[in-house]
């Protein structure tokens, strides 16, 4: 088995069947190993012993050659600098619009963008170049919807604000760090004013010691009954296993070649982090086998998806779903 990088911009070009349950994650099952090269992707591919052994061996190799202390201080001291450089180099060309949002997060479209939804505010943290904000805006039929996109990269916010799709009457964009410790909230938002917080491949960019600050900031922004919609990297994802020497910052926490950071979560970790403040509605693992049929390569992707809810009366219900 070979672990090879698949750019973020192409991973969602995979056909997905329509479904009502956003945690069902597709319906193409590999029932005959001899048919593996018949399609570009397979859903719900469980690992065998061989894959587990390879993954553990790869992680052990990474631990033998972590990032030097000098470089670690460099990468941890000013992480927004590396995202500024990323967006300066890639502009709006790296990621594709997330057209899968209606399948994966249908509550947005049922509760916020429908014509009769009423006043609603959606906050996307780590908005990047607007690949989540603009598809939501395009599908919106609610005249009272307000979209807010924040990123701690100044350049990312500039890209959103300068995009032809940007509508200042419907979207606000601001530079804001999810792990901000000053108490400042994004421009135009007050405490308990947000209906949905979207976290798509953004929580993984935080250092573990920033997690609880980030959770507290989200808690300040969400209305009672508000939702957190989460998608990020799962433990043993191909992107984790392909890291070579000199990239490991800490347990399951890495620095990419461009200086940006990434953490790979387990379901239990997410429950432990978010369960301290919010009800855990759903946590699921999306396992996908991507196939390069021309080169005969198998690439295993693992993503986690979750929905957390702020309790209406302020008390967290600890009897949560394990699904």
């Amino acid at each position: 088995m070979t672990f090879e990088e698949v750019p973020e911009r192409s991973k969602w070009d995979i056909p997905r069947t329509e479904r009502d349950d956003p945690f069902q994650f597709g319906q193409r099952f590999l029932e005959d190993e001899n048919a593996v090269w018949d399609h570009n992707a397979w859903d719900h591919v469980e690992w065998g012993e061989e894959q587990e052994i390879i993954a553990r061996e790869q992680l052990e190799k990474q631990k033998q050659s972590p990032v030097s202390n000098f470089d670690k201080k460099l990468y941890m001291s000013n992480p927004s600098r590396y995202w500024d450089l990323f967006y300066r180099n890639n502009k709006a060309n790296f990621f594709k619009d997330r057209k899968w949002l209606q399948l994966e997060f249908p509550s947005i479209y049922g509760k916020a963008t429908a014509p009769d939804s009423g006043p609603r505010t959606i906050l996307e943290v780590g908005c990047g170049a607007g690949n989540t904000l603009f598809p939501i805006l395009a599908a919106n039929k609610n005249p009272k919807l307000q979209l807010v996109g924040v990123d701690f990269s100044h350049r990312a916010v500039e890209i959103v604000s300068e995009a032809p799709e940007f509508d200042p009457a419907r979207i606000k964009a601001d530079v804001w760090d999810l792990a901000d410790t000053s108490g400042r909230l994004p421009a135009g938002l007050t405490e308990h004013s947000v209906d949905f917080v979207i976290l798509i491949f953004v929580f993984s960019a935080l250092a573990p010691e920033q997690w609880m600050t980030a959770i507290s900031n989200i808690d300040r922004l969400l209305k009672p009954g508000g939702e957190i919609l989460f998608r990020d990297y799962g433990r043993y994802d191909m992107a984790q296993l392909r890291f070579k020497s000199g990239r490991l910052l800490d347990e399951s926490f890495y620095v990419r070649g461009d200086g940006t950071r990434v953490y790979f979560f387990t379901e239990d970790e997410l429950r432990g982090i978010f369960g301290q403040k919010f009800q855990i509605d759903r946590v699921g693992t999306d396992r996908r086998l991507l196939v390069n049929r021309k080169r005969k390569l198998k690439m295993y992707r693992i993503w986690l998806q979750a929905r957390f809810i702020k309790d209406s009366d302020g008390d967290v219900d600890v009897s949560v779903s394990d699904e």
Side-chain angles (χ1 to χ4, degrees):
M1 179 176 62
T2 301
F3 295 102
E4 178 174 292
E5 175 70 357
V6 174
E8 293 284 344
R9 62 178 179 272
S10 65
K11 70 185 180 188
W12 288 110
D13 293 341
I14 304 162
R16 300 171 68 78
T17 57
E18 290 196 22
R19 54 197 181 277
D20 294 325
D21 185 347
F23 286 76
Q24 201 167 339
F25 303 126
Q27 296 296 301
R28 179 173 287 164
F29 299 98
L30 180 60
E31 297 177 348
D32 179 2
E33 184 63 31
N34 293 324
V36 68
W37 310 112
D38 291 352
H39 298 283
N40 292 329
W42 300 92
D43 298 296
H44 308 290
V45 178
E46 295 297 330
W47 280 25
E49 183 178 356
E50 177 189 359
Q51 285 83 11
E52 291 284 351
I53 292 173
I54 292 174
R56 288 195 295 268
E57 289 178 348
Q58 183 64 14
L59 295 190
E60 284 302 316
K61 289 180 182 178
Q62 294 168 352
K63 291 178 181 179
Q64 303 306 313
S65 302
V67 175
S68 69
N69 289 334
F70 177 85
D71 287 340
K72 184 175 181 177
K73 290 180 181 178
L74 184 67
Y75 293 127
M76 300 293 281
S77 62
N78 188 15
S80 63
R81 171 179 179 270
Y82 296 100
W83 284 107
D84 278 334
L85 291 172
F86 173 87
Y87 285 107
R88 186 175 303 150
N89 293 332
N90 295 285
K91 298 182 172 59
N93 302 319
F94 192 78
F95 302 106
K96 283 192 174 184
D97 283 351
R98 289 159 174 158
K99 298 177 181 179
W100 45 268
L101 288 167
Q102 294 192 48
L103 293 175
E104 304 294 5
F105 298 128
S107 59
I108 293 177
Y109 299 88
K111 299 177 182 178
T113 66
D116 58 351
S117 296
R120 292 289 185 269
T121 299
I122 297 174
L123 169 66
E124 188 195 9
V125 181
C127 65
N131 301 100
T132 296
L133 291 173
F134 295 139
I136 293 175
L137 180 63
N140 178 52
K141 295 179 174 60
N142 178 10
K144 297 182 179 180
L145 176 67
Q146 182 67 58
L147 294 170
V148 181
V150 297
D151 202 292
F152 72 173
S153 166
H154 290 77
R155 183 58 189 138
V157 173
E158 289 175 2
I159 291 172
V160 168
S161 302
E162 296 167 359
E165 303 95 330
F166 184 78
D167 180 357
R170 289 282 179 263
I171 301 178
K172 291 183 173 63
D174 188 26
V175 177
W176 187 69
D177 186 351
L178 176 58
D180 180 87
T181 57
S182 71
R184 186 183 80 85
L185 297 178
L189 295 180
T190 58
E191 291 191 359
H192 315 306
S193 64
V194 174
D195 296 280
F196 292 92
V197 172
I198 300 176
L199 303 173
I200 298 179
F201 297 105
V202 63
F203 213 79
S204 55
L206 299 178
E209 58 266 27
Q210 297 177 300
W211 291 344
M212 293 318 300
T213 300
I215 291 297
S216 295
N217 284 335
I218 295 172
D219 184 47
R220 288 180 63 206
L221 287 163
L222 266 183
K223 295 178 180 178
E227 298 183 18
I228 301 167
L229 304 177
F230 179 100
R231 188 170 177 87
D232 221 316
Y233 297 102
R235 189 72 47 83
Y236 288 174
D237 178 58
M238 179 189 65
Q240 178 182 16
L241 300 180
R242 69 179 294 274
F243 279 113
K244 305 301 181 183
S245 61
R247 294 298 174 192
L248 183 66
L249 291 166
D250 210 333
E251 186 72 29
S252 302
F253 192 40
Y254 300 80
V255 60
R256 301 184 181 96
D258 59 10
T260 60
R261 308 176 309 186
V262 58
Y263 189 92
F264 296 85
F265 295 94
T266 66
E267 289 190 16
D268 286 343
E269 280 179 326
L270 292 186
R271 293 188 179 96
I273 296 165
F274 286 87
Q276 297 183 52
K277 287 283 188 180
F278 308 105
Q279 294 184 39
I280 304 171
D281 181 66
R282 300 290 294 275
V283 177
T285 299
D286 184 357
R287 294 179 180 272
R288 196 91 44 86
L289 170 60
L290 307 186
V291 174
N292 185 321
R293 290 186 281 178
K294 182 178 180 180
R295 299 176 61 189
K296 301 299 182 185
L297 294 177
K298 298 179 183 179
M299 299 164 284
Y300 293 85
R301 302 309 309 260
I302 301 175
W303 301 294
L304 297 185
Q305 188 162 305
R307 183 167 60 240
F308 309 106
I309 299 174
K310 182 169 180 175
D311 195 74
S312 296
D313 59 13
D315 295 325
V316 174
D317 180 2
V318 295
S319 59
V320 298
S321 168
D322 288 333
E323 190 169 356

